[in-house]
mmCIF file with all atom_site columns, all heavy atoms in Angstrom:
data_model
loop_
_atom_site.group_PDB
_atom_site.id
_atom_site.type_symbol
_atom_site.label_atom_id
_atom_site.label_alt_id
_atom_site.label_comp_id
_atom_site.label_asym_id
_atom_site.label_entity_id
_atom_site.label_seq_id
_atom_site.pdbx_PDB_ins_code
_atom_site.Cartn_x
_atom_site.Cartn_y
_atom_site.Cartn_z
_atom_site.occupancy
_atom_site.B_iso_or_equiv
_atom_site.pdbx_formal_charge
_atom_site.auth_seq_id
_atom_site.auth_comp_id
_atom_site.auth_asym_id
_atom_site.auth_atom_id
_atom_site.pdbx_PDB_model_num
ATOM 1  N N   . THR A 1 105 ? -10.668 1.647   -1.046 1.00 0.00 ? 253 THR A N   1
ATOM 2  C CA  . THR A 1 105 ? -9.914  0.401   -1.177 1.00 0.00 ? 253 THR A CA  1
ATOM 3  C C   . THR A 1 105 ? -10.223 -0.543  -0.010 1.00 0.00 ? 253 THR A C   1
ATOM 4  O O   . THR A 1 105 ? -10.382 -1.752  -0.205 1.00 0.00 ? 253 THR A O   1
ATOM 5  C CB  . THR A 1 105 ? -8.405  0.698   -1.265 1.00 0.00 ? 253 THR A CB  1
ATOM 6  O OG1 . THR A 1 105 ? -8.205  1.692   -2.279 1.00 0.00 ? 253 THR A OG1 1
ATOM 7  C CG2 . THR A 1 105 ? -7.609  -0.548  -1.622 1.00 0.00 ? 253 THR A CG2 1
ATOM 8  N N   . ALA A 1 106 ? -10.335 0.020   1.180  1.00 0.00 ? 254 ALA A N   1
ATOM 9  C CA  . ALA A 1 106 ? -10.696 -0.810  2.341  1.00 0.00 ? 254 ALA A CA  1
ATOM 10 C C   . ALA A 1 106 ? -12.095 -1.401  2.135  1.00 0.00 ? 254 ALA A C   1
ATOM 11 O O   . ALA A 1 106 ? -12.347 -2.558  2.478  1.00 0.00 ? 254 ALA A O   1
ATOM 12 C CB  . ALA A 1 106 ? -10.644 0.023   3.621  1.00 0.00 ? 254 ALA A CB  1
ATOM 13 N N   . ASP A 1 107 ? -13.003 -0.618  1.584  1.00 0.00 ? 255 ASP A N   1
ATOM 14 C CA  . ASP A 1 107 ? -14.360 -1.132  1.308  1.00 0.00 ? 255 ASP A CA  1
ATOM 15 C C   . ASP A 1 107 ? -14.304 -2.289  0.307  1.00 0.00 ? 255 ASP A C   1
ATOM 16 O O   . ASP A 1 107 ? -14.997 -3.290  0.468  1.00 0.00 ? 255 ASP A O   1
ATOM 17 C CB  . ASP A 1 107 ? -15.254 -0.023  0.727  1.00 0.00 ? 255 ASP A CB  1
ATOM 18 C CG  . ASP A 1 107 ? -15.669 1.002   1.775  1.00 0.00 ? 255 ASP A CG  1
ATOM 19 O OD1 . ASP A 1 107 ? -15.486 0.733   2.984  1.00 0.00 ? 255 ASP A OD1 1
ATOM 20 O OD2 . ASP A 1 107 ? -16.176 2.070   1.382  1.00 0.00 ? 255 ASP A OD2 1
ATOM 21 N N   . LEU A 1 108 ? -13.479 -2.142  -0.725 1.00 0.00 ? 256 LEU A N   1
ATOM 22 C CA  . LEU A 1 108 ? -13.395 -3.233  -1.707 1.00 0.00 ? 256 LEU A CA  1
ATOM 23 C C   . LEU A 1 108 ? -12.808 -4.497  -1.062 1.00 0.00 ? 256 LEU A C   1
ATOM 24 O O   . LEU A 1 108 ? -13.270 -5.610  -1.331 1.00 0.00 ? 256 LEU A O   1
ATOM 25 C CB  . LEU A 1 108 ? -12.591 -2.855  -2.952 1.00 0.00 ? 256 LEU A CB  1
ATOM 26 C CG  . LEU A 1 108 ? -12.717 -3.983  -3.986 1.00 0.00 ? 256 LEU A CG  1
ATOM 27 C CD1 . LEU A 1 108 ? -14.010 -3.864  -4.784 1.00 0.00 ? 256 LEU A CD1 1
ATOM 28 C CD2 . LEU A 1 108 ? -11.538 -4.087  -4.900 1.00 0.00 ? 256 LEU A CD2 1
ATOM 29 N N   . ALA A 1 109 ? -11.821 -4.319  -0.209 1.00 0.00 ? 257 ALA A N   1
ATOM 30 C CA  . ALA A 1 109 ? -11.243 -5.494  0.472  1.00 0.00 ? 257 ALA A CA  1
ATOM 31 C C   . ALA A 1 109 ? -12.345 -6.225  1.250  1.00 0.00 ? 257 ALA A C   1
ATOM 32 O O   . ALA A 1 109 ? -12.439 -7.457  1.215  1.00 0.00 ? 257 ALA A O   1
ATOM 33 C CB  . ALA A 1 109 ? -10.109 -5.062  1.396  1.00 0.00 ? 257 ALA A CB  1
ATOM 34 N N   . TRP A 1 110 ? -13.201 -5.462  1.916  1.00 0.00 ? 258 TRP A N   1
ATOM 35 C CA  . TRP A 1 110 ? -14.308 -6.090  2.664  1.00 0.00 ? 258 TRP A CA  1
ATOM 36 C C   . TRP A 1 110 ? -15.347 -6.687  1.729  1.00 0.00 ? 258 TRP A C   1
ATOM 37 O O   . TRP A 1 110 ? -15.900 -7.763  2.013  1.00 0.00 ? 258 TRP A O   1
ATOM 38 C CB  . TRP A 1 110 ? -14.935 -5.099  3.647  1.00 0.00 ? 258 TRP A CB  1
ATOM 39 C CG  . TRP A 1 110 ? -14.186 -5.180  4.941  1.00 0.00 ? 258 TRP A CG  1
ATOM 40 C CD1 . TRP A 1 110 ? -13.176 -4.361  5.366  1.00 0.00 ? 258 TRP A CD1 1
ATOM 41 C CD2 . TRP A 1 110 ? -14.330 -6.193  5.934  1.00 0.00 ? 258 TRP A CD2 1
ATOM 42 N NE1 . TRP A 1 110 ? -12.692 -4.816  6.566  1.00 0.00 ? 258 TRP A NE1 1
ATOM 43 C CE2 . TRP A 1 110 ? -13.389 -5.923  6.940  1.00 0.00 ? 258 TRP A CE2 1
ATOM 44 C CE3 . TRP A 1 110 ? -15.165 -7.311  6.073  1.00 0.00 ? 258 TRP A CE3 1
ATOM 45 C CZ2 . TRP A 1 110 ? -13.256 -6.733  8.069  1.00 0.00 ? 258 TRP A CZ2 1
ATOM 46 C CZ3 . TRP A 1 110 ? -15.038 -8.115  7.206  1.00 0.00 ? 258 TRP A CZ3 1
ATOM 47 C CH2 . TRP A 1 110 ? -14.099 -7.818  8.182  1.00 0.00 ? 258 TRP A CH2 1
ATOM 48 N N   . ALA A 1 111 ? -15.632 -6.016  0.636  1.00 0.00 ? 259 ALA A N   1
ATOM 49 C CA  . ALA A 1 111 ? -16.583 -6.570  -0.343 1.00 0.00 ? 259 ALA A CA  1
ATOM 50 C C   . ALA A 1 111 ? -16.067 -7.929  -0.823 1.00 0.00 ? 259 ALA A C   1
ATOM 51 O O   . ALA A 1 111 ? -16.819 -8.900  -0.925 1.00 0.00 ? 259 ALA A O   1
ATOM 52 C CB  . ALA A 1 111 ? -16.765 -5.607  -1.514 1.00 0.00 ? 259 ALA A CB  1
ATOM 53 N N   . LEU A 1 112 ? -14.766 -8.009  -1.080 1.00 0.00 ? 260 LEU A N   1
ATOM 54 C CA  . LEU A 1 112 ? -14.175 -9.257  -1.563 1.00 0.00 ? 260 LEU A CA  1
ATOM 55 C C   . LEU A 1 112 ? -14.162 -10.319 -0.468 1.00 0.00 ? 260 LEU A C   1
ATOM 56 O O   . LEU A 1 112 ? -14.446 -11.492 -0.718 1.00 0.00 ? 260 LEU A O   1
ATOM 57 C CB  . LEU A 1 112 ? -12.751 -9.003  -2.076 1.00 0.00 ? 260 LEU A CB  1
ATOM 58 C CG  . LEU A 1 112 ? -12.645 -8.209  -3.375 1.00 0.00 ? 260 LEU A CG  1
ATOM 59 C CD1 . LEU A 1 112 ? -11.178 -7.937  -3.709 1.00 0.00 ? 260 LEU A CD1 1
ATOM 60 C CD2 . LEU A 1 112 ? -13.312 -8.951  -4.529 1.00 0.00 ? 260 LEU A CD2 1
ATOM 61 N N   . LEU A 1 113 ? -13.844 -9.878  0.756  1.00 0.00 ? 261 LEU A N   1
ATOM 62 C CA  . LEU A 1 113 ? -13.809 -10.830 1.868  1.00 0.00 ? 261 LEU A CA  1
ATOM 63 C C   . LEU A 1 113 ? -15.191 -11.464 2.062  1.00 0.00 ? 261 LEU A C   1
ATOM 64 O O   . LEU A 1 113 ? -15.341 -12.681 2.210  1.00 0.00 ? 261 LEU A O   1
ATOM 65 C CB  . LEU A 1 113 ? -13.344 -10.093 3.127  1.00 0.00 ? 261 LEU A CB  1
ATOM 66 C CG  . LEU A 1 113 ? -12.830 -10.923 4.293  1.00 0.00 ? 261 LEU A CG  1
ATOM 67 C CD1 . LEU A 1 113 ? -11.957 -10.055 5.197  1.00 0.00 ? 261 LEU A CD1 1
ATOM 68 C CD2 . LEU A 1 113 ? -13.965 -11.513 5.098  1.00 0.00 ? 261 LEU A CD2 1
#
Side-chain angles (χ1 to χ4, degrees):
T253 309
D255 287 347
L256 187 82
W258 272 97
L260 290 176
L261 198 159

